[in-house]
Amino acid sequence: MSQAAGPSSTTKGIDSSALPFVTVPDAFRAAVAQHPNRLALRDNHRSLTYREFDLASNRVANRLLELGDDRPLVVVAPIAIRSVLLMHGALKTGRLIAPLDPRWPAEQWLEIAHATNGRLVLPDAATRDRMTTLPPDAVLADDLMGDDDADPGVVADPEAPVCVFFTSGSTGAPKGTVIGHQTQLRALDMMEILPEDRYVIAAPMGFITGALSSMGIVLTGGSGHLFDITTEDISSIPSWLSAREITIMPLSVTLLGTIAGLANQEGRTIDSLRWVSHGGEPVSAQHIAECRRAFPNADFRYGYGMTETGWVTDGELSTSTEPVDGIYPAGRPTASVQIEIVDADEQPLPDGDEGEIWVTGPQVAFGYWNQPALTAERFIFHPDGRRTVRTGDRGRFRADGTLEVCGRMDRRVKVNGQLVDLALVEHEVRLLPAVRDAVVSSVPTDDGGHRVVAHVVIDRAEQATVGELRRGLAGRVPEYAMPRAFFRVEDVPQTNSGKVDRAWLRESAVGALPLETDYVAPRDDRERAVAQLFEQVLAVERVGVHDNFFELGGDSLSVVDLLAGLSDDLDLELSAGELLQGATVEEIGARLGTRHTPRARTIVRVNDGRGRPLFCVPGGGDTPVQYRPLGRRLPDIAVYAFAYRGLDSRAVPDQSVAAIARRNVAAMREIDPRGPYRILGYSFGGAVALEMAEQLVATGAEVELVALAEPSIPATAPSRVESSLAFAGRVRDRAVQANPGTDVRARIERGIEWGRAAAAYGARQLYLASAGVVRRRGLEQHEMFLHLHTRLFRAHVVEPYTGRTMLVASPQYFADTQETVDRVLPPESVGGRRHDLQVQAEHLDLMREPNVAAVARALDVLLATESP
């Protein structure tokens, strides 16, 4: 996509605003002329009026001009008036500024000074004396405070860069984002600051929020009050805010939450605040409730932006604003920007669809300092001078035109093949009654996968245990996304910019949350053996006797591994159905030593529903556990699932689809002798479900519904003889192609090729013949039965079925199999009607969370509706 689309259903915002000034120095001169004697800035050591600040910054500018070069000024900038003077003085000369956080290692200051060819400015002599290496042209801040306070008279270029903001370099080489005058001016345009406002500046100036706040407040007529959170006692800030009668407070969500929490602990309210702006991170309902208690008179604003864009949305969080799907809207785009949502192919998406957020506008950054490849990857430069940035954030537009920011594109991870949105899991953890704050992260596992962990701040009045937290999340978080470990922290750590320090949390676990009554260590060798097997199969730690295999993340594939481990290592034969009935370490351990042989059950109960039953056929090579997510989604329906003979207990498997169907029908009629019957089949199970329906109808039974999830439906079924001849023909052609000619050597080589193929064919037949009799471990057992079921499916003829059906599939499935599906499942027929449900999901994910939710909703509707 070469350029951003114009305003449409997916592009919000039009550049219709016209600012009175095009450069920051112009705006500052106008503010000084209008409010010369008003307070401009105040810190703990001094205060300056607008006129005094103007003269002091002129002295800096003229001193910089005396240096005789125009190199960038790399300023180590504490939260203090002197830092603001240095930056404004540099602006008046047209110099580029690179503000740095004083808490960064000195090596990073030197690296950035070298990368920009800039002059390093240190705040004081004590900082200089601590450095082991010092550039020869480095200066102290005091060295730049000259005597000439006349206006330097330099005309600023509106298109010139103003600042470059570097990352700390903790994740690699520092990355510098270059911004211009418009980023600063547009930020002020949305602040609506009045001359009587008192504005807190507490964010470090090495980051865009702190720098723009400190440089911007003196363009408004209001006053900026600086509180250095890096050196001052943070617990004193509630009383400091009250004493200064601060009216506006724009800070990161994490820092605001900390301040509100401190105020509420003191029983203090900060009544002077008229509006508070939250930004940089997702906002939770609990966070807003905490802030409303602490700041009772404030309006709450929530904006979206980043260093590359500045603030580009603005929204009010009123008492009536409630989160949707756990996320607060970030407001509507400001007048100067266009925001669009695009898919992976960079095509615009309609409202409601989630994709990457792209921002176009005059305040978009110029790119990354001396990184042309990264700049080209993230930015689009349009012929008309506009710039677009690919933000890397996920979002969507709601029906009311507000932007919903759904987290980073890179905050989604695959866990056991399932896509987990860490931001949404984090939100659900924060909603738990005992949790005051939480951070959810993914930790790499030894096999290259991910494990979800949660760090939680527990309310002091609560005594939460891991079991209570897991039970609170059950039903709200899919089992595969459930945190595998909980760690207790006293407070959420913050980065230098005031955001959550996720990297630190991932790398350090400060004490496991006490399990108290929930955790009971294995009490004997049997329980220890089962607990160790859980840990091995699921890659979890510290499994207790009451821990449930499924609640720890077990799914239909890991069940096969567990059952094989119990059989091979512990001499315990269990079926998947028995595991569904009792899956804790204690329950399984109690069976050890009894040489238990599972009762070969064809059907097992999946949930505790009491409504009319739904009978489910698993996919090829799978177990009844596959339907556990669906059973949880249908609590008012009794969900049963069939087991394939020989898959999880030693037995000779059925050798045709019809035989599997007969066994299933007999088992089903023992539970429900009269019907009418409701059947669901997935993949290979779809062919079995249709055969079951045909057998039931042939006996005069009523079939109310056959639901099929991407069923395996062969177009034609060749005979075994035809299949063998076709295979032989392919081998012959391959042998001739590899060994052409009629001489003796070619014929011998072709004979050898034929012999190898015959041996491989025979070995495969023996391999499949051993299915159910010879147990394989874990995934190998699953794959063996998958091959067996594929062979049975190819030999089966699916007759057209004219009863009531539901077909669940991806759009691609419908497109690829339309003719075959319409033949087997006529959309309109005498006996019933086909209901099609399209689900955007891969085949293997249809019956898994979160896609199974759509299947369950459709089934709920159809099963509550009388069949025609």
Side-chain angles (χ1 to χ4, degrees):
M1 190 171 184
S2 61
Q3 54 183 310
S8 68
S9 63
T10 59
T11 307
K12 308 294 182 181
I14 301 173
D15 190 359
S16 60
S17 63
L19 295 178
F21 308 105
V22 293
T23 70
V24 174
D26 288 343
F28 176 65
R29 291 187 184 96
V32 173
Q34 190 173 359
H35 312 286
N37 299 316
R38 280 190 177 275
L39 178 65
L41 290 173
R42 179 182 178 186
D43 61 19
N44 286 344
H45 305 288
R46 65 193 294 199
S47 61
L48 294 176
T49 65
Y50 272 78
R51 180 61 178 161
E52 290 168 338
F53 184 85
D54 183 35
L55 295 174
S57 58
N58 284 346
R59 289 193 286 271
V60 172
N62 288 316
R63 179 71 183 95
L64 288 172
L65 292 173
E66 290 173 8
L67 294 177
D69 62 54
D70 57 358
R71 294 161 55 200
L73 209 62
V74 181
V75 182
V76 179
I79 304 176
I81 288 179
R82 178 155 294 179
S83 299
V84 190
L85 284 172
L86 286 170
M87 290 189 287
H88 262 281
L91 280 175
K92 288 183 175 182
T93 68
R95 279 182 184 248
L96 183 69
I97 311 157
L100 307 181
D101 194 304
R103 293 169 294 179
W104 292 354
E107 291 78 10
Q108 291 179 5
W109 302 342
L110 296 173
E111 184 178 357
I112 291 170
H114 176 73
T116 59
N117 188 30
R119 185 183 295 274
L120 182 64
V121 181
L122 300 173
D124 49 42
T127 303
R128 178 192 60 195
D129 295 341
R130 288 197 303 268
M131 297 184 65
T132 56
T133 304
L134 195 67
D137 60 350
V139 296
L140 299 180
D142 283 345
D143 296 337
L144 297 179
M145 303 296 167
D147 299 320
D148 184 358
D149 58 14
D151 191 316
V154 176
V155 178
D157 179 359
E159 299 301 321
V162 171
C163 290
V164 53
F165 292 101
F166 282 89
T167 61
S168 64
S170 59
T171 57
K175 178 182 71 177
T177 304
V178 183
I179 70 164
H181 291 272
Q182 290 292 312
T183 306
Q184 174 74 81
L185 297 174
R186 300 284 173 173
L188 291 174
D189 192 40
M190 63 178 286
M191 286 182 183
E192 300 174 0
I193 299 172
L194 305 175
E196 60 269 21
D197 275 322
R198 290 171 295 280
Y199 184 105
V200 65
I201 301 168
M205 293 186 187
F207 301 90
I208 190 169
T209 301
L212 295 193
S213 293
S214 59
M215 290 195 294
I217 186 61
V218 294
L219 312 184
T220 68
S223 60
H225 297 254
L226 291 82
F227 184 95
D228 191 348
I229 60 171
T230 68
T231 59
E232 301 289 336
D233 181 4
I234 188 67
S235 65
S236 68
I237 196 168
S239 59
W240 182 90
L241 291 167
S242 295
R244 294 289 179 93
E245 296 185 324
I246 299 298
T247 61
I248 297 177
M249 185 163 59
L251 294 172
S252 70
V253 171
T254 299
L255 187 52
L256 282 171
T258 299
I259 296 171
L262 290 169
N264 290 330
Q265 287 174 23
E266 297 174 9
R268 175 194 298 274
T269 59
I270 304 172
D271 300 322
S272 59
L273 285 167
R274 75 175 182 89
W275 68 260
V276 173
S277 180
H278 314 250
E281 297 166 280
V283 173
S284 69
Q286 186 171 351
H287 168 84
I288 293 298
E290 187 105 331
C291 288
R292 284 194 175 122
R293 285 173 54 202
F295 321 133
N297 300 324
D299 292 330
F300 294 111
R301 311 286 285 275
Y302 183 35
Y304 166 70
M306 56 179 54
T307 306
E308 289 86 346
T309 65
W311 293 110
V312 294
T313 71
D314 185 28
E316 182 176 353
L317 296 177
S318 66
T319 54
S320 62
T321 305
E322 295 297 335
V324 177
D325 294 333
I327 299 174
Y328 274 104
R332 291 177 173 80
T334 57
S336 62
V337 299
Q338 295 176 351
I339 299 179
E340 57 187 335
I341 309 298
V342 302
D343 62 16
D345 296 322
E346 302 186 351
Q347 298 303 307
L349 290 168
D351 287 354
D353 282 7
E354 187 179 308
E356 185 178 12
I357 301 172
W358 285 17
V359 177
T360 302
Q363 68 264 54
V364 168
F366 294 113
Y368 299 115
W369 183 267
N370 280 349
Q371 294 195 55
L374 184 59
T375 297
E377 177 184 330
R378 291 285 301 277
F379 290 86
I380 300 170
F381 299 91
H382 303 276
D384 60 4
R386 294 178 305 142
R387 296 179 297 278
T388 296
V389 62
R390 304 170 173 94
T391 68
D393 284 335
R394 293 181 293 107
R396 63 182 178 183
F397 278 112
R398 295 181 173 179
D400 62 359
T402 57
L403 177 68
E404 177 183 303
V405 182
C406 305
R408 292 288 298 168
M409 302 289 286
D410 54 10
R411 285 211 73 201
R412 286 182 166 183
V413 298
K414 279 286 186 76
V415 177
N416 293 332
Q418 302 294 303
L419 196 61
V420 175
D421 190 324
L422 298 176
L424 294 183
V425 178
E426 184 173 282
H427 174 78
E428 293 295 341
V429 175
R430 285 175 172 166
L431 291 179
L432 296 174
V435 175
R436 186 156 53 86
D437 203 352
V439 179
V440 172
S441 310
S442 68
V443 178
T445 57
D446 292 339
D447 60 1
H450 293 272
R451 185 164 65 107
V452 179
V453 301
H455 288 76
V456 293
V457 180
I458 299 297
D459 192 300
R460 289 186 174 87
E462 300 287 343
Q463 294 295 323
T465 64
V466 165
E468 289 168 352
L469 298 181
R470 284 180 176 151
R471 285 191 290 274
L473 291 173
R476 292 159 53 182
V477 171
E479 287 178 357
Y480 62 80
M482 184 76 70
R484 296 293 168 255
F486 290 84
F487 301 101
R488 187 170 192 159
V489 292
E490 292 302 316
D491 289 295
V492 172
Q494 299 175 15
T495 64
N496 291 339
S497 61
K499 296 183 180 181
V500 173
D501 193 343
R502 297 182 185 277
W504 184 89
L505 287 172
R506 281 195 299 270
E507 294 167 5
S508 24
V510 284
L513 181 71
L515 302 181
E516 296 163 0
T517 57
D518 285 82
Y519 177 75
V520 177
R523 296 161 293 198
D524 54 36
D525 289 342
R526 295 180 303 170
E527 290 179 346
R528 274 189 286 274
V530 176
Q532 288 171 3
L533 189 58
F534 276 31
E535 293 170 359
Q536 175 187 334
V537 171
L538 298 176
V540 297
E541 301 170 3
R542 200 188 184 204
V543 175
V545 299
H546 300 310
D547 283 332
N548 184 290
F549 180 79
F550 297 108
E551 291 177 0
L552 290 176
D555 57 17
S556 58
L557 289 183
S558 55
V559 160
V560 180
D561 270 331
L562 177 68
L563 295 178
L566 290 172
S567 174
D568 298 344
D569 302 338
L570 304 180
D571 196 25
L572 176 64
E573 298 288 347
L574 280 184
S575 69
E578 288 174 313
L579 195 63
L580 281 170
Q581 308 307 313
T584 67
V585 170
E586 182 178 40
E587 290 167 323
I588 297 173
R591 297 179 182 270
L592 287 178
T594 63
R595 293 196 172 274
H596 171 79
T597 300
R599 181 165 56 91
R601 290 193 287 182
T602 302
I603 194 168
V604 297
R605 186 74 175 262
V606 174
N607 68 358
D608 297 324
R610 297 186 179 278
R612 288 182 52 216
L614 172 69
F615 297 96
C616 304
V617 188
D622 228 316
T623 69
V625 173
Q626 187 175 61
Y627 285 104
R628 194 167 184 268
L630 181 67
R632 291 167 62 91
R633 291 281 185 176
L634 296 173
D636 298 326
I637 296 172
V639 178
Y640 291 85
F642 297 101
Y644 291 113
R645 180 175 170 81
L647 178 58
D648 58 10
S649 60
R650 286 184 174 87
V652 177
D654 296 307
Q655 296 300 308
S656 69
V657 170
I660 296 173
R662 281 193 296 273
R663 186 183 299 278
N664 290 354
V665 167
M668 182 171 62
R669 282 187 145 166
E670 286 185 9
I671 294 170
D672 184 4
R674 293 185 297 274
Y677 297 103
R678 296 106 70 89
I679 309 170
L680 168 63
Y682 165 61
S683 193
F684 168 74
V688 177
L690 284 170
E691 176 64 23
M692 290 171 61
E694 294 284 7
Q695 292 181 12
L696 286 165
V697 170
T699 63
E702 181 182 350
V703 178
E704 179 183 328
L705 176 70
V706 178
L708 303 166
E710 291 202 355
S712 300
I713 303 175
T716 58
S719 68
R720 293 290 290 274
V721 173
E722 290 172 330
S723 296
S724 298
L725 289 174
F727 175 76
R730 289 194 298 272
V731 174
R732 180 198 61 215
D733 294 342
R734 187 168 61 244
V736 171
Q737 184 178 8
N739 306 285
T742 58
D743 60 354
V744 174
R745 180 175 179 179
R747 291 179 180 181
I748 291 174
E749 288 176 346
R750 284 200 295 270
I752 293 172
E753 186 78 16
W754 273 86
R756 287 173 179 166
Y761 180 81
R764 181 176 181 79
Q765 299 312 305
L766 288 173
Y767 172 77
L768 292 178
S770 70
V773 179
V774 178
R775 287 288 301 273
R776 267 75 177 181
R777 189 175 180 88
L779 189 59
E780 187 180 354
Q781 178 81 345
H782 162 75
E783 291 179 346
M784 168 182 273
F785 269 79
L786 183 60
H787 289 309
L788 173 64
H789 290 156
T790 300
R791 188 175 76 177
L792 300 185
F793 146 75
R794 287 175 178 166
H796 180 65
V797 176
V798 180
E799 300 292 344
Y801 180 75
T802 57
R804 188 181 187 218
T805 58
M806 172 177 134
L807 180 59
V808 181
S810 68
Q812 191 63 45
Y813 178 93
F814 279 103
D816 292 345
T817 64
Q818 191 72 57
E819 184 177 342
T820 301
V821 166
D822 286 347
R823 175 181 63 83
V824 175
L825 303 173
E828 298 289 344
S829 65
V830 176
R833 182 175 184 275
R834 193 179 88 200
H835 301 263
D836 290 347
L837 172 66
Q838 293 196 11
V839 178
Q840 287 283 3
E842 297 294 329
H843 177 76
L844 293 176
D845 296 334
L846 267 178
M847 301 309 297
R848 296 173 175 174
E849 296 283 4
N851 304 308
V852 73
V855 180
R857 284 194 296 270
L859 281 169
D860 243 346
V861 172
L862 287 180
L863 296 179
T865 306
E866 293 294 329
S867 59

